[in-house]
Amino acid sequence: MQVIPLNQAVDEQDWQALLAGAVRSSQQLLRLLQLEHSPLAQQLGGDADFPVLVPMPFVALMQSGNPQDPLLRQVLALHDEGRQMPGYVTDPLAEKEANVRPGVVHKYHGRVLLIAAGGCAVNCRYCFRRHFPYADNRVGRKQWQQALDYVAGERSITEVILSGGDPLLLDDSALAQLCQQIADIDHVRRLRIHTRVPVVIPQRLTAALQEMLAGSRLQTTLVLHINHPNEISSELVQGLHALRRQGITLLNQSVLLAGVNDDAQVLCELSEALFAAGLLPYYLHQLDRVQGAHHFCVPHERMAALYRQMKVQLPGYLLPRLVCEEPGQPHKTVLQV
Ligand SMILES: *Cc1c(COP(=O)(O)O)cnc(C)c1O
Ligand code: SF4
């Protein structure tokens, strides 16, 4: 296997090479972490439609020899995924209904979500998008135009959210073009980018990307997806600080995951580490009941107890809102616990 040094100068080719060199099998991942003889090796499974995918910078943050590593647990495909469980479905958010055009999900007032890219740089095993029909939402130039026409025709839309898949898999020039086309729509004021790429490949935060986001007329927010403090590398912090200096708002959302971050101390440390990196905790999501992810579910009582402890320990601005998504609701549901 080709191992790419992580300390190269940051440019576009580096992140693309790191993506191309990502680990693509559970066995390989276990070998890299010297876990090939651990009991975990007997629990591997997976799903050909949602293969293992983990870039090396993320692997480098895992602890060698630790089968409980919270980063490993998020990306290792286990046999448990194949079990059918009552209540766990392929489209838990009923997003197909809000999929108003190819590549456009319009569920909430004032903001619209564009599926800017079909894939991700990492396949998180708990992901609610693992069964999403990306093939029907492949966004070529023609679909781009249709999506932009939809936004232009809906004057209530003031915020465009680029999501996916992961929009930061687009290269800088494609992204710049898309952002420009969005900025050309008068009634859009804000651009939001939901991404996990910089977490698994911090080299993605190129100088060109920073300049492009800073130069836009739109008020821009980057929402990262980090679940555990160990995911925050010094390279990531460096890139985020540069974005903050350019006036980009930085938020984070997490998912509450059994075996990963279902511990009050870990969640509090996460909030602190996020803030130190320049990110405000935005949402803590309850796991969506997607088929194949039941082993990440934290029972309601335990979730409530964890959140109450966070309330006691954290200043208000470091307490993420605990939310879930209920199909048909016009907003995310804030859980009162
Ligand atoms: C979560 C989500 C949003 C954004 O919701 P906020 O509460 O504004 O963060 C927008 N569209 C869709 C389809 C979503 O799932
Ligand atoms: S990066 Fe986000 S969308 Fe992609 S697999 Fe992970 S959780 Fe899902």
Side-chain angles (χ1 to χ4, degrees):
M1 196 202 70
Q2 190 192 4
V3 176
I4 295 150
L6 302 183
N7 55 358
Q8 290 175 353
V10 174
D11 73 10
E12 189 143 274
Q13 271 181 345
D14 284 346
W15 73 261
Q16 286 171 339
L18 285 163
L19 181 62
V23 175
R24 286 164 200 275
S25 86
S26 291
Q27 287 83 357
Q28 191 187 356
L29 193 52
L30 290 188
R31 271 197 304 278
L32 284 166
L33 296 170
Q34 300 180 331
L35 286 169
E36 66 268 51
H37 302 302
S38 92
L40 262 188
Q42 307 308 315
Q43 298 166 32
L44 301 183
D47 177 346
D49 294 335
F50 194 65
V52 166
L53 181 66
V54 199
M56 282 304 287
F58 198 65
V59 179
L61 300 174
M62 297 174 189
Q63 203 185 12
S64 189
N66 180 7
Q68 308 297 340
D69 184 274
L71 280 53
L72 174 65
R73 287 285 168 167
Q74 295 178 52
V75 296
L76 189 70
L78 296 180
H79 186 250
D80 280 349
E81 290 185 15
R83 296 223 317 264
Q84 303 271 341
M85 295 293 277
Y88 286 77
V89 298
T90 56
D91 181 21
L93 310 182
E95 283 208 323
K96 276 178 204 150
E97 277 170 46
N99 202 186
V100 291
R101 295 277 188 291
V104 184
V105 184
H106 193 186
K107 256 187 4 189
Y108 301 148
H109 176 81
R111 52 259 200 250
V112 70
L113 192 149
L114 301 189
I115 297 168
C120 291
V122 56
N123 284 342
C124 313
R125 307 319 299 177
Y126 53 84
C127 183
F128 73 94
R129 291 193 187 278
R130 59 185 299 160
H131 308 284
F132 192 78
Y134 284 119
D136 305 339
N137 281 279
R138 194 153 293 142
V139 206
R141 298 280 151 189
K142 185 164 143 242
Q143 283 82 4
W144 266 148
Q145 200 48 56
Q146 286 175 357
L148 291 163
D149 290 347
Y150 178 82
V151 177
E154 293 277 332
R155 295 201 59 84
S156 65
I157 296 172
T158 51
E159 178 168 10
V160 172
I161 302 172
L162 301 183
S163 182
D166 200 309
L168 290 191
L169 285 190
L170 296 177
D171 63 31
D172 286 336
S173 72
L175 201 59
Q177 192 190 355
L178 179 59
C179 292
Q180 186 55 53
Q181 285 171 306
I182 295 167
D184 288 342
I185 302 170
D186 281 350
H187 51 267
V188 178
R189 290 180 221 140
R190 293 185 303 279
L191 175 71
R192 200 195 313 178
I193 299 178
H194 279 245
T195 181
R196 189 149 158 78
V197 178
V199 183
V200 296
I201 309 180
Q203 290 80 353
R204 176 65 190 93
L205 297 178
T206 59
L209 177 71
Q210 289 164 20
E211 279 164 32
M212 190 273 287
L213 296 178
S216 173
R217 146 185 105 71
L218 302 166
Q219 244 190 320
T220 302
T221 302
L222 206 64
V223 184
L224 266 72
H225 175 171
I226 298 171
N227 300 315
H228 190 283
N230 292 4
E231 292 172 49
I232 304 173
S233 63
S234 54
E235 292 87 353
L236 176 63
V237 173
Q238 244 177 30
L240 292 175
H241 283 170
L243 284 170
R244 280 235 313 167
R245 283 195 297 274
Q246 307 268 18
I248 310 296
T249 300
L250 300 174
L251 306 176
N252 183 69
Q253 56 178 349
S254 309
V255 182
L256 184 61
L257 298 166
V260 174
N261 61 8
D262 56 339
D263 176 292
Q265 211 45 50
V266 166
L267 290 166
C268 290
E269 274 168 33
L270 174 60
S271 275
E272 304 262 0
L274 290 170
F275 190 65
L279 299 153
L280 278 175
Y282 179 38
Y283 283 147
L284 175 60
H285 288 266
Q286 185 179 29
L287 182 75
D288 295 310
R289 294 186 165 244
V290 62
Q291 198 179 299
H294 58 90
H295 53 295
F296 288 112
C297 182
V298 177
H300 192 275
E301 274 315 302
R302 172 144 178 78
M303 175 179 74
L306 289 171
Y307 195 67
R308 281 195 296 266
Q309 270 179 282
M310 290 174 78
K311 273 187 189 167
V312 171
Q313 288 189 35
L314 290 169
Y317 63 94
L318 292 188
L319 185 70
R321 261 153 279 184
L322 181 64
V323 294
C324 70
E325 253 180 274
E326 294 177 312
Q329 288 298 308
H331 50 73
K332 304 213 193 287
T333 303
V334 177
L335 293 163
Q336 303 296 343
V337 296

